[in-house]
Amino acid sequence: MKISAIVTLKKDVLDPQGKVVSQTLRNMGYDNIINVRQGKYFEIELNEINKEKAKKKVEEICKNLLTNIVIEDYTINLK
Amino acid sequence: MKSAVIVFPGSNCDRDVAVALEKFHIKNQMVWHNETELPKCDLIILPGGFSYGDYLRTGCIASKSRIINAVIKHEKNGGLILGICNGFQILIETGLLPGVLLRNKKLRFLSKNVFLKALNINNHFCLYYKQKKVIELPIAHNEGSYFANSNLLQNLEDNNLIAFKYCDQKGNIISDANPNGSSNNIAGILNNKKNVLGMMPHPERLIDPILSGEDGSLMFKSLFNSPT
């Protein structure tokens, strides 16, 4: 089973890269840009057919390795 | 005093630290990250560099390597741990020190000398900074902006756990002297037991008056002379 996880900085944490991207977009003429947040995308292939079990595993993986829960949030998407 | 320098793939200050330790008569051994046991030692050093190419987050993969359980055990038994630069990032990811190190505020890799003030000298690492009002040490990092929520910052300040703060040449702790945007100008912190120090500046790079200066020497002298 393939599961994806998206890791982003928490809302209150300054995201300098996202800020630079949004500024650049504005400079390029995209004047309706309000904000850009940059994150990481993971595609995890698991040897598991039970959806719930797989989701639980990926959640554990997100907590233990993929995110620093002090500053980052994650969202999990089942395919 | 015996020490062990942990070497990760991508460490690049490991040998500089070893030279510094030996210069100040600390008997050192290098330990590869894949080992599971440490040699008998009083002090562990996590050196600077780019462990695992800074993949995922700086210090993150190193904090899950095989040797880390032994490092955590060493801390539990009261042993000393010094994390410099990437070593500081690894200590944070391991959870041995609180807070987080973000990218430098201006998104630039910084490589320059900075001025520091030692705020807590009553620990094994900083004893010899007693007479020194302002310290000069080099920094070289991209993710060195120390960030902590207000509760944690208050806790660090109240319990005197901030070892170093960035300051100007005269010792004033002002925002203009803050190179990377760290909360409260923090350059290095101690844990509650004061046996773990993490810092972004590199003491091992200033240990010779002919080449650079001696402000880093004081840390290794402190360690050599600290009671173990």
Side-chain angles (χ1 to χ4, degrees):
Chain A
M1 179 179 292
K2 262 190 192 172
I3 294 185
S4 66
I6 295 171
V7 175
T8 48
L9 283 170
K10 281 192 172 144
K11 225 174 51 231
D12 304 332
V13 179
L14 176 73
D15 172 17
Q17 293 189 86
K19 232 179 171 172
V20 169
V21 172
S22 70
Q23 190 55 50
T24 306
L25 287 170
R26 268 183 227 122
N27 293 346
M28 288 165 76
Y30 296 99
D31 45 17
N32 50 358
I33 298 288
I34 295 168
N35 196 17
V36 178
R37 303 283 290 173
Q38 188 172 319
K40 296 171 196 162
Y41 174 80
F42 299 90
E43 217 170 62
I44 302 154
E45 224 175 315
L46 275 176
N47 195 2
E48 175 66 67
I49 36 169
N50 183 314
K51 271 190 176 181
E52 274 314 298
K53 273 188 186 165
K55 201 181 164 194
K56 256 202 171 135
K57 250 305 151 249
V58 173
E59 224 171 282
E60 198 182 306
I61 290 168
C62 281
K63 277 186 194 148
N64 289 337
L65 183 70
L66 301 184
T67 58
N68 178 344
I69 48 171
V70 180
I71 48 162
E72 291 170 324
D73 285 327
Y74 60 85
T75 37
I76 295 168
N77 296 309
L78 286 138
K79 288 211 167 163
Chain B
M1 169 71 73
K2 282 184 187 161
S3 66
V5 173
I6 315 286
V7 186
F8 300 95
S11 294
N12 63 12
C13 300
D14 45 333
R15 282 189 284 180
D16 287 13
V17 173
V19 168
L21 291 163
E22 275 152 30
K23 182 174 176 185
F24 296 100
H25 318 293
I26 297 169
K27 215 171 156 343
N28 183 54
Q29 242 179 299
M30 306 301 263
V31 178
W32 185 235
H33 69 110
N34 246 345
E35 302 288 331
T36 48
E37 272 176 55
L38 287 161
K40 208 173 170 304
C41 63
D42 313 293
L43 164 71
I44 292 174
I45 299 204
L46 303 176
F50 300 87
S51 58
Y52 296 90
D54 281 349
Y55 286 5
L56 206 52
R57 295 182 302 277
T58 51
C60 169
I61 309 285
S63 77
K64 312 286 180 203
S65 62
R66 291 177 71 187
I67 194 67
I68 289 299
N69 287 334
V71 174
I72 292 169
K73 210 169 128 199
H74 175 88
E75 188 283 324
K76 272 201 182 130
N77 296 332
L80 302 177
I81 304 178
L82 170 61
I84 303 166
C85 199
N86 189 222
F88 186 12
Q89 294 161 341
I90 295 167
L91 284 174
I92 293 236
E93 281 287 342
T94 310
L96 287 173
L97 288 174
V100 67
L101 286 156
L102 299 173
R103 273 194 86 178
N104 298 340
K105 199 176 167 194
K106 289 185 180 162
L107 298 177
R108 288 219 182 118
F109 186 93
L110 293 166
S111 177
K112 62 174 188 177
N113 281 14
V114 293
F115 297 106
L116 303 164
K117 204 166 190 166
L119 284 116
N120 183 339
I121 46 129
N122 291 318
N123 58 73
H124 297 279
F125 308 93
C126 304
L127 213 57
Y128 275 56
Y129 287 117
K130 201 174 178 178
Q131 309 297 335
K132 197 93 188 160
K133 263 188 88 179
V134 178
I135 306 155
E136 189 177 359
L137 285 179
I139 52 166
H141 60 248
N142 198 35
E143 282 87 3
S145 181
Y146 185 79
F147 177 83
N149 63 30
S150 50
N151 281 346
L152 176 54
L153 283 177
Q154 200 57 47
N155 178 39
L156 292 172
E157 296 275 5
D158 291 350
N159 295 304
N160 204 11
L161 299 177
I162 300 170
F164 299 104
K165 278 189 180 182
Y166 300 107
C167 64
D168 68 7
Q169 201 161 1
K170 287 180 185 152
N172 303 309
I173 298 159
I174 50 169
S175 59
D176 277 353
N178 187 345
N180 52 25
S182 290
S183 308
N184 294 19
N185 280 37
I186 289 172
I189 57 166
L190 294 152
N191 66 343
N192 280 321
K193 274 154 65 188
K194 300 187 178 69
N195 60 333
V196 179
L197 169 66
M199 61 192 290
M200 289 317 291
H202 287 269
E204 80 281 11
R205 293 192 188 175
L206 279 195
I207 54 151
D208 194 321
I210 296 171
L211 292 175
S212 45
E214 280 207 292
D215 282 5
S217 307
L218 296 170
M219 182 164 288
F220 296 98
K221 281 182 189 167
S222 304
L223 285 165
F224 178 69
N225 290 300
S226 78
T228 49

